[in-house]
Amino acid sequence: MLWSPHQLYRNPLLLGAGFFLLLSGSTAWLFIFHDAPDPDDAHMLPAPTLIHVESNALAQYVAATNHMPIKGMEAVVSSPADPFAEPNLHDPEKLKEHFLRTDLEEAGAIAAFRALSDSDVSTWEWPYPQFDPPPARRMARISALDVTSGYLLAKCPLLVASGKTAEATELALLVFRVNHRAAIAKLTSDQYVSSLGTQHQCLEVLSEILSGSEATPELLRTTLATLTTHVPANLDAYTHARKSAYEHFKRLIKDAVARDTLEYHLRISWYAPLRARFTPLTLTLKPNATLHLRLEIEDRMSDALKTGWPSAVQSALIEIQRSREVLGSLGNWRAYIDGNHGGKWAHHRCIQEDLDTLFDLLCLQDAYEVTRINLALRLFELQSGTLPNDIAALTPDTLSSTPIILSTGDVLRWNRNKGIIHLPGADLHPTKAEIRKLPYSHPDAYEITSTYWWANVKAE
């Protein structure tokens, strides 16, 4: 029996079925295909610049080392002798032979590094994106500066063991200066983080070199003057690194959709957390909606940075905690109803690592200020035969201003009786003296203490 048009329109079952199909189709379209409009992210994209290699020393260094095999630091690490251990634990002659042999293998990389250090720093600008290779090649290129820096720092203990404290200090300061200058030359985010780590390593090496009685007042004064003119916490450099991180994240998300697979892009990603797991629901990755999530955080961080570093720290702590909570909720089956489940997961995994850069920078700044105070205290002790009662006695003759911790805004203090540099309220137990990174989940537990380097060395 055939239904007439009049009977079809009046049949409630057919009408309901038609309405259900229409609703299901609309819902499926919204869930799978509908995305937010393109984000207005011009303010978060690094300004494009045309780099002329012939007038840019950093671009010349990249060009010279781009295809250069650099393995010196790996050779040092794999050596039976550990160059970072106490010099009296090893045979200096064997260690010297090892470095002389490796120097020949790494002559090109060392020569390029020296040429970069002698060049005009005002010409330095990282050649990005003109020389931007695939991710694997980009990481290899980063290792040129990073590995050569580590290799040169590894030679410092050998110089100290040979009685060449001044030469070891000069070499450590050279590596610090080059990496500091590179950090403010508009590095990409991964290169910026690498530079921060190398600068921190330089400060650790300097503490080992100078903590002996051989450090003269002239050497201490030169070291302090060099560090004072190279402050790690540069707002412009950090802001550019944040923009670079956003640009990389945007490229990751867009490419993941274009390739129609999130797995491939996360597998080659520079984001270490994303390589540990991937979300197979590529259809639940909405690139524009995901970028809107990222921009909301970036805008809040920008507003906090305008207030100051302590505000940025508190904002970053809140964002990291919020991301952890969201990631925890994404494990629930209800989360898969979200049309942008894959995008939210990728976003909150990436944002935590990107915000870690802020803490890496401030941790470096903490170590930098503690290093300067140690040097200033030692100069005061060598000049007057005694240590000052407080840090205020060091200004303005030795230190131009009283050092503070940027993450909290607190002024660093000096406890002469215990020989410890510390923050107000810090644990001053000598066996627990250390510089500790700001815990993400416990901001109130933050403390920084450092034992005076020459606590057991008398002033001559």
Side-chain angles (χ1 to χ4, degrees):
M1 178 179 179
L2 297 177
W3 293 89
S4 65
H6 179 71
Q7 289 173 317
L8 283 174
Y9 291 133
R10 296 185 63 180
N11 189 296
L13 292 178
L14 291 178
L15 286 175
F19 178 76
F20 176 78
L21 290 175
L22 179 61
L23 181 62
S24 299
S26 300
T27 303
W29 180 83
L30 290 173
F31 185 85
I32 298 176
F33 300 107
H34 179 67
D35 194 5
D38 289 335
D40 182 11
D41 57 1
H43 64 290
M44 279 306 300
L45 297 176
T49 56
L50 181 61
I51 302 298
H52 298 285
V53 177
E54 61 275 7
S55 61
N56 183 348
L58 192 56
Q60 294 175 9
Y61 174 80
V62 170
T65 59
N66 196 26
H67 300 287
M68 185 182 295
I70 299 174
K71 55 184 179 180
M73 195 57 195
E74 295 178 2
V76 172
V77 173
S78 62
S79 171
D82 180 5
F84 288 101
E86 294 293 331
N88 59 1
L89 298 180
H90 308 288
D91 185 343
E93 289 302 321
K94 291 184 178 179
L95 198 58
K96 182 178 180 180
E97 292 176 2
H98 168 78
F99 276 106
L100 288 175
R101 182 173 63 256
T102 313
D103 279 349
L104 295 176
E105 298 175 355
E106 305 303 322
I110 295 174
F113 188 93
R114 293 283 185 178
L116 178 65
S117 66
D118 294 335
S119 63
D120 183 3
V121 67
S122 64
T123 69
W124 290 21
E125 189 167 355
W126 203 263
Y128 174 85
Q130 288 92 333
F131 289 175
D132 187 46
R137 190 60 202 157
R138 184 173 69 245
M139 295 305 297
R141 189 185 65 190
I142 295 170
S143 69
L145 184 59
D146 187 35
V147 173
T148 303
S149 297
Y151 175 70
L152 293 175
L153 288 177
K155 300 184 69 172
C156 293
L158 175 63
L159 293 173
V160 174
S162 303
K164 300 179 180 180
T165 303
E167 288 86 342
T169 304
E170 180 183 356
L171 183 57
L173 288 175
L174 171 69
V175 176
F176 182 85
R177 290 198 311 270
V178 170
N179 280 271
H180 175 270
R181 291 170 176 174
I184 61 177
K186 296 183 178 181
L187 294 182
T188 56
S189 56
D190 41 11
Q191 296 156 350
Y192 180 76
V193 172
S194 176
S195 175
L196 295 181
T198 302
Q199 291 178 68
H200 208 150
Q201 186 182 5
C202 289
L203 296 179
E204 293 174 354
V205 172
L206 282 173
S207 70
E208 296 294 329
I209 296 173
L210 299 173
S211 57
S213 58
E214 297 83 1
T216 64
E218 292 75 18
L219 182 60
L220 296 172
R221 194 173 292 108
T222 299
T223 304
L224 180 59
T226 300
L227 294 178
T228 301
T229 56
H230 295 78
V231 183
N234 184 290
L235 182 59
D236 291 338
Y238 172 68
T239 300
H240 186 274
R242 283 181 53 240
K243 291 182 177 181
S244 173
Y246 171 80
E247 183 183 34
H248 286 179
F249 178 75
K250 180 176 181 179
R251 186 181 304 178
L252 180 151
I253 296 299
K254 294 288 189 180
D255 287 356
V257 175
R259 296 174 185 270
D260 196 29
T261 173
L262 190 59
E263 176 186 5
Y264 170 78
H265 206 88
L266 298 189
R267 180 160 43 83
I268 65 171
S269 171
W270 56 92
Y271 288 107
L274 294 186
R275 293 199 295 268
R277 171 191 166 195
F278 71 92
T279 300
L281 301 179
T282 307
L283 291 178
T284 63
L285 174 61
K286 307 293 180 60
N288 289 344
T290 304
L291 292 177
H292 278 286
L293 290 174
R294 176 65 177 249
L295 285 173
E296 291 175 2
I297 291 181
E298 294 294 349
D299 290 341
R300 288 194 292 266
M301 285 295 298
S302 295
D303 292 339
L305 278 170
K306 293 176 183 177
T307 305
W309 292 105
S311 298
V313 168
Q314 294 305 314
S315 179
L317 289 171
I318 293 172
E319 300 296 351
I320 289 176
Q321 184 60 34
R322 182 179 296 149
S323 289
R324 288 176 174 174
E325 294 172 356
V326 172
L327 284 174
S329 67
L330 290 178
N332 190 297
W333 66 269
R334 295 183 181 88
Y336 288 87
I337 302 176
D338 190 333
N340 193 34
H341 174 269
K344 286 183 178 180
W345 181 84
H347 160 68
H348 287 287
R349 291 290 288 180
C350 290
I351 195 63
Q352 294 190 54
E353 181 165 300
D354 288 336
L355 288 176
D356 279 351
T357 303
L358 173 62
F359 297 100
D360 291 339
L361 172 60
L362 295 180
C363 185
L364 168 62
Q365 184 69 23
D366 293 347
Y368 166 84
E369 294 294 7
V370 168
T371 300
R372 293 203 312 132
I373 292 175
N374 269 293
L375 296 173
L377 288 171
R378 182 59 174 172
L379 280 170
F380 188 97
E381 183 181 24
L382 291 176
Q383 292 171 357
S384 60
T386 184
L387 286 166
N389 293 322
D390 52 49
I391 292 181
L394 302 174
T395 57
D397 294 335
T398 310
L399 296 175
S400 58
S401 60
T402 303
I404 65 172
I405 297 299
L406 289 186
S407 55
T408 62
D410 293 322
V411 176
L412 279 164
R413 297 183 181 181
W414 160 244
N415 187 302
R416 179 182 175 183
N417 294 331
K418 294 188 175 183
I420 292 177
I421 303 165
H422 65 95
L423 277 177
D427 182 359
L428 301 185
H429 196 286
T431 61
K432 295 182 180 179
E434 61 179 350
I435 299 174
R436 225 169 55 182
K437 192 174 181 179
L438 181 63
Y440 299 154
S441 56
H442 304 287
D444 294 335
Y446 175 69
E447 65 182 60
I448 174 174
T449 60
S450 174
T451 302
Y452 178 53
W453 294 350
W454 296 272
N456 300 319
V457 179
K458 294 183 180 180
E460 299 179 355

